[in-house]
Amino acid sequence: MADPAVVSGGSLNAGGRSSGGKASTSPAENYHQARRRTLQVVVSALLTECGFDSAEKAAVETLTEMMQSYITEIGRSAKSYCEHTARSVPTLSDTVVTLIEMGFNVDTLPVYAKRSQRMVITAPPVTNPPVTPRALSAGQKRTHPSHIPSHFPEFPDPHTYIKTPTFREPVSDYQVVREKAASQRRDVERALTRFMAKTGETQSLFKDDITAFPLIAARPTTIPYLSALLPSELELQTLEETDSSEQDDQTDSENTAGNNITDDPGADKENSMLPPSGVVPSAKANEDNMIDNPYLRPVKKPKVRRKK
């Protein structure tokens, strides 16, 4: 029969080489690998107690994974029972309730702990758990007042309840504003130039590489002086507004002349001397044809006065 220490140590080395792969530099990875090696030592000791001389690497890894999952489940359930009773640190009663819930006979633990063939394993080196870096730090963390028991959870980080404004004050410095406006204008011009170079015809400075330093191709016109003779869009718009204003003035003058009613004494005489056919004069007809509803009247364009 082989030496148990040699057997367990050989299986451990094989498992350690397969699980480690290459050395890690992260503190969290070193912490988890140290815990994993301790579990492999415990599994190897239990196999030796059961009478095994050697074990395959895959079998040791499988048993180690099963033990790690079992212990993890015990810790998770104990933590849940602890938080259910408004406590932050699990106690022995939480662990006992967890084992009973998982179907384990708690009465057999003292007998198993006092067995005569058990192997004593040296304590693993103490490794500090990895420190989780805090993303935000604001203010000072508060402690429990005198009327709050110490087993209650601690206060959250100050950044969760301290008021922190999220807006920035507008920049009013003249130099900064001018630089920002210049940079935005430069970016817009550059973007438009690239867009025109990609969508239109381009010319290159180098015959070998057409894509290097593309230039927007100039489009020569047959009659170069035609643009100088034709009126611009602004001039056309001014002429249209002037014509429309003159037409509106003429229409308003005609409507005013038609709507004026004379109050001279001869008006009664003219009204009394109507023809037998009963034809209404033109001024009266225009007044009757006017629409009283302002929403149904024809649209009038605003008057634009010509600059002198």
Side-chain angles (χ1 to χ4, degrees):
M1 183 174 179
D3 188 3
V6 176
V7 173
S8 61
S11 62
L12 255 181
N13 292 335
R17 285 193 299 268
S18 62
S19 62
K22 59 181 180 179
S24 59
T25 58
S26 175
E29 293 180 0
N30 294 336
Y31 179 79
H32 293 305
Q33 286 183 4
R35 298 297 179 183
R36 184 79 174 187
R37 295 191 193 97
T38 304
L39 289 178
Q40 289 176 349
V41 172
V42 173
V43 169
S44 302
L46 293 176
L47 290 176
T48 305
E49 289 182 10
C50 294
F52 291 95
D53 297 334
S54 61
E56 294 183 358
K57 179 172 58 178
V60 174
E61 288 292 333
T62 303
L63 293 174
T64 304
E65 187 66 28
M66 292 173 62
M67 179 177 289
Q68 182 176 354
S69 300
Y70 191 78
I71 296 175
T72 303
E73 182 63 23
I74 293 175
R76 188 193 63 81
S77 300
K79 182 69 173 177
S80 300
Y81 286 119
C82 167
E83 293 177 350
H84 184 68
T85 55
R87 287 181 287 106
S88 58
V89 180
T91 58
L92 180 60
S93 59
D94 298 328
T95 308
V96 172
V97 173
T98 300
L99 293 174
I100 295 173
E101 185 70 22
M102 297 177 64
F104 185 79
N105 189 5
V106 185
D107 298 333
T108 59
L109 277 177
V111 179
Y112 183 77
K114 296 178 181 179
R115 67 187 185 279
S116 59
Q117 298 178 355
R118 64 175 183 175
M119 295 184 61
V120 179
I121 303 174
T122 58
V126 179
T127 56
N128 298 325
V131 179
T132 305
R134 295 184 179 181
L136 297 175
S137 59
Q140 296 180 356
K141 196 169 184 179
R142 296 176 57 186
T143 57
H144 288 299
S146 58
H147 62 276
I148 298 179
S150 59
H151 62 270
F152 274 30
E154 298 179 355
F155 283 105
D157 292 336
H159 75 272
T160 58
Y161 56 85
I162 288 180
K163 181 181 178 181
T164 53
T166 58
F167 61 89
R168 294 182 178 179
E169 297 182 358
V171 180
S172 58
D173 189 7
Y174 177 77
Q175 182 178 358
V176 177
V177 173
R178 291 290 297 174
E179 290 178 356
K180 186 176 181 181
S183 63
Q184 291 179 354
R185 180 179 180 182
R186 183 171 58 254
D187 295 340
V188 171
E189 292 179 355
R190 188 179 302 170
L192 290 176
T193 305
R194 291 179 180 176
F195 176 76
M196 294 180 64
K198 289 183 178 180
T199 56
E201 298 179 0
T202 58
Q203 297 177 354
S204 179
L205 296 176
F206 306 97
K207 297 181 180 180
D208 300 336
D209 191 0
I210 303 177
T211 59
F213 300 99
L215 302 176
I216 300 175
R219 298 179 180 178
T221 57
T222 55
I223 307 177
Y225 56 87
L226 184 61
S227 59
L229 299 177
L230 294 177
S232 61
E233 296 181 358
L234 183 60
E235 294 177 355
L236 291 175
Q237 185 178 2
T238 307
L239 292 175
E240 290 177 359
E241 292 177 354
T242 305
D243 296 341
S244 62
S245 63
E246 292 178 355
Q247 292 178 1
D248 293 339
D249 293 341
Q250 184 178 1
T251 305
D252 294 340
S253 60
E254 292 177 357
N255 293 336
T256 304
N259 292 333
N260 289 333
I261 301 175
T262 57
D263 295 335
D264 56 338
D268 296 336
K269 185 177 180 180
E270 293 178 358
N271 292 334
S272 60
M273 297 177 62
L274 290 175
S277 59
V279 178
V280 183
S282 60
K284 188 69 176 176
N286 292 335
E287 185 178 356
D288 294 340
N289 292 333
M290 290 294 295
I291 301 175
D292 295 336
N293 193 345
Y295 296 100
L296 300 179
R297 291 177 183 174
V299 180
K300 295 182 180 181
K301 297 182 180 180
K303 297 181 181 179
V304 180
R305 302 196 178 198
R306 187 182 301 177
K307 296 181 181 180
K308 295 181 180 180

